[in-house]
Amino acid sequence: MNAFIDFTVRLLTDAIQMPGLIGEVALRSPLSAVIVATGTAFILLSVGVLGYSALGALGIPLPNLGSGPNERIE
């Protein structure tokens, strides 16, 4: 049980320190900033697609993003 508590404390502490470390890495060179920005955009896009899919799977009516008909298939 002690190892689990130590792991959880370390995980939370590192999560709090992470934004500062990412800032240091991103500001070292322009290429680093582009890589960090691209990775952030990729993660946000994939989380958004997963969230949209999850809401659709729960039956929440969402706008149709495709170019097909706007009819629901039941």
Side-chain angles (χ1 to χ4, degrees):
M1 187 67 174
N2 191 18
F4 179 71
I5 293 173
D6 290 341
F7 172 74
T8 305
V9 169
R10 175 74 186 264
L11 184 66
L12 293 175
T13 304
D14 289 348
I16 292 170
Q17 294 175 351
M18 188 60 66
L21 294 175
I22 290 176
E24 288 179 19
V25 170
L27 296 177
R28 287 189 183 191
S29 71
L31 182 60
S32 296
V34 169
I35 291 171
V36 169
T38 303
T40 302
F42 179 74
I43 295 297
L44 290 176
L45 178 69
S46 55
V47 167
V49 168
L50 179 65
Y52 187 83
S53 300
L55 289 176
L58 291 174
I60 298 172
L62 298 170
N64 187 8
L65 296 179
S67 60
N70 201 9
E71 300 174 7
R72 290 188 68 165
I73 299 173
E74 304 217 14

